Amino acid sequence: MSIREESVGAKSSGRSGGRYSGAWLARWALEQLPIAHTFGIPGVHNTELYDELGRSQKIRPVLVTHEGAGAFMADAISRTSGSGAIGCLVIVPAAGVTHALSGLGEAFLDGIPLLIITGGVRTDLEFGFQLHQIDQQQLLQGVTKSFRRVGEHGEIVPAIFEAYRTAVSGVPGPAAVEIPVNLQLFRGRVEALPSAPSTPPPAAPDPDRLEQAAQLLATAERPAMFVGWGAVDVASEIAHIAELLGGPVSTTLQGLSAFPADHPLHVGMGFSRAAVPAAERAFRDIDALLAVGVRFGEIPTGSFGCRVPEALVHIDIDPAAIGRNFPARIGIPADARQAVPLLLERLQARQLDSSQRRRRLASQIAEDKASYLGEWKKHRTDRVNPALFFEQLRRQLDRSSILVVDDGNHTFLAAELYPVLEPRTFISPTDFNCMGYCVPGAIGAKLANPDRQVVGVVGDGAVLMTGVELLTATAENLGVVLFVFHDGELSQISQGQEIPYNRKTCTVLPEIQLEGLARLTGAHFLTMDDNQQIAAVMERALAAARDGHPVLVDVRIDYSKRTRFTQGVVETVLKRFPLGDKFRFIGRAMWRKVTG
């Protein structure tokens, strides 16, 4: 009996024992999990597994141009799939793993579950120095929650199931399994195929701490909330708590879709000097803070420049995050999906009346938001005004559309100017902060959400890293629109260079012909040169995407007005410099400005 014939027979035999190839076992295991796509490039150490995946009725293997982009696609699958689907990589050992590391690092630091299946060198030969022979556990130990190298056929299915459980349990993250190529190719005896894995529910939060938290928040005069990605699946409950407390709600960058921007108490990202005026003003005199699903990382705190009150209630699934950067009076290590509804019940039982404070605050927030947007819209330019761009983008997209951004100046423009309205509809590289995320991230999001609009906004520097992946979008007939903010610089860093250095080193890009990238990858190409073209070009781009065509739009963006984030972070960082070094940096910049 051939391997192909045996695989078919084995599948029909259900979970009984028998002789199976390792490739069939791996495919069978993946089919039991919430996985619809795998990403990677076949090589000599996984061709048998790819052959099996090619026969699957449940999983579609997707060929990518680079494993790093494949990891970003898998990441976006996990971020945008509210149903619990998980992204999966199937990659060759060594080079495939090192290429994927950037995407794995992003998922690891951002708390995104991924499953990595990598081939391995033959373990049935006495020879060393085999092709791709390297210790992959050492390569992956810093960016994965677990790694397992299977040694026999009977370990394959349990190892994959255990990796899945590890990836989605506790603080989510990547988990890896290495399957040597000889196990994939050859048959081995397996006594029984285990049942599909179930994940144990997280431990219930401490009821006494929840009661203490409810009491602290209910008696505060000026409470506020700070929510992150960990709260994205309890956005409705978060809104109810905000209304009971009558306090403002700020989010992290990753958590922008954890609280709707059209809610009257929404203020924006962060609440430091690097936040928009609505957030800075609303949080100025708060006396208590409820933080949910946040780690108080560098970006949302404006380089740790925010003022956090002593009366801090901090809920996070990671116990190590609680009190790490700002001391918590009440720390509740728990999954927000369990803790937040229970906290809401306790607050509702207190029959709070914050209607006057809520109305007053909502009026102030609306006024500050309108003033800030008006300031942006008055900014004169012969290029595309970012505020007008994002205003029109919001107008033309459905409420449930997904926006994917990259790392760069455009990221913070989007955070300040684009209203995110529903959970899991805004994704961005965050703590690993890796350029190159947007293009593959948009592809992954569209694969996971084929019936929703998916749009990417990416800088011209970031699109150079993974723009060729548009070829994958063309091959898969994915109607995604990529707006490239084209200004000829790595602007987030070049703007940061201007104040302390008064010169730009290695942040000015060579001339880029984006039409050539579109032609290379089969994408439709459009240009947007000024404000008068915004609406019409967007309409054409979204219409082409509806027909299943990827679209690349060259946006002649104006970056001359800085975001509050950039201004605030530069000020905060400079203030922390030792006095002598501060004068040295300022003096050097002034001298260079005078002398040219």
Side-chain angles (χ1 to χ4, degrees), residues 196-271:
S198 60
T199 54
D206 186 322
D208 291 337
R209 293 191 183 188
L210 285 171
E211 187 63 29
Q212 293 167 19
Q215 182 63 21
L216 183 152
L217 295 168
T219 55
E221 293 184 9
R222 296 175 301 280
M225 297 178 68
F226 184 38
V227 298
W229 182 257
V232 73
D233 292 325
V234 286
S236 175
E237 290 87 347
I238 291 289
H240 285 313
I241 291 177
E243 290 156 11
L244 287 172
L245 298 178
V249 182
S250 167
T251 78
T252 65
L253 173 63
Q254 195 180 357
L256 278 169
S257 60
F259 192 76
D262 57 354
H263 192 286
L265 297 175
H266 169 275
V267 296
M269 184 189 82
F271 52 95

Side-chain angles (χ1 to χ4, degrees), residues 2-226:
S2 69
I3 292 177
R4 179 175 294 275
E5 290 169 340
E6 182 189 27
S7 296
V8 174
K11 183 162 187 179
S12 67
S13 67
R15 295 175 182 169
S16 60
R19 290 177 58 79
Y20 309 107
S21 73
W24 184 89
L25 290 165
R27 189 253 284 187
W28 185 87
L30 294 176
E31 287 177 335
Q32 312 313 305
L33 301 174
I35 292 172
H37 301 86
T38 64
F39 303 94
I41 302 173
V44 297
H45 293 84
N46 63 12
T47 52
E48 189 72 15
L49 177 52
Y50 265 91
D51 185 67
E52 285 289 347
L53 290 171
R55 299 171 56 231
S56 176
Q57 300 299 307
K58 180 178 182 288
I59 298 173
R60 177 177 175 81
V62 177
L63 172 65
V64 300
T65 66
H66 191 281
E67 288 91 348
F72 291 139
M73 291 180 201
D75 172 294
I77 292 270
S78 295
R79 291 192 200 225
T80 62
S81 299
S83 62
I86 185 174
C88 179
L89 284 174
V90 176
I91 53 179
V92 296
V97 171
T98 56
H99 285 171
L101 282 175
S102 290
L104 301 184
E106 191 67 62
F108 183 75
L109 288 191
D110 289 357
I112 306 301
L114 292 183
L115 184 59
I116 306 107
I117 307 297
T118 173
V121 300
R122 292 185 65 163
T123 56
D124 60 339
L125 299 178
E126 62 186 35
F127 302 105
F129 307 107
Q130 295 182 50
L131 179 69
H132 293 331
Q133 188 168 20
I134 196 167
D135 188 339
Q136 297 193 117
Q137 184 168 8
Q138 282 194 331
L139 281 177
L140 289 169
Q141 64 183 359
V143 292
T144 57
K145 292 181 66 180
S146 71
F147 175 93
R148 182 171 174 182
R149 181 184 297 112
V150 298
E152 57 185 36
H153 288 79
E155 297 178 16
I156 292 175
V157 175
I160 291 174
F161 285 176
E162 182 57 34
Y164 168 76
R165 276 191 292 263
T166 299
V168 301
S169 300
V171 181
V177 177
E178 177 185 311
I179 308 175
V181 63
N182 51 294
L183 296 186
Q184 295 180 48
L185 289 167
F186 308 140
R187 294 172 293 178
R189 179 74 186 175
V190 175
E191 294 306 321
L193 297 177
S195 301
S198 60
T199 54
D206 186 322
D208 291 337
R209 293 191 183 188
L210 285 171
E211 187 63 29
Q212 293 167 19
Q215 182 63 21
L216 183 152
L217 295 168
T219 55
E221 293 184 9
R222 296 175 301 280
M225 297 178 68
F226 184 38

Side-chain angles (χ1 to χ4, degrees), residues 253 269 272 274 297-304 412 429-431 433 565 569:
L253 173 63
M269 184 189 82
S272 68
E298 186 166 0
I299 287 178
T301 61
S303 194
F304 313 109
F412 304 105
T430 307
D431 287 341
N433 217 214
F565 179 83
V569 165

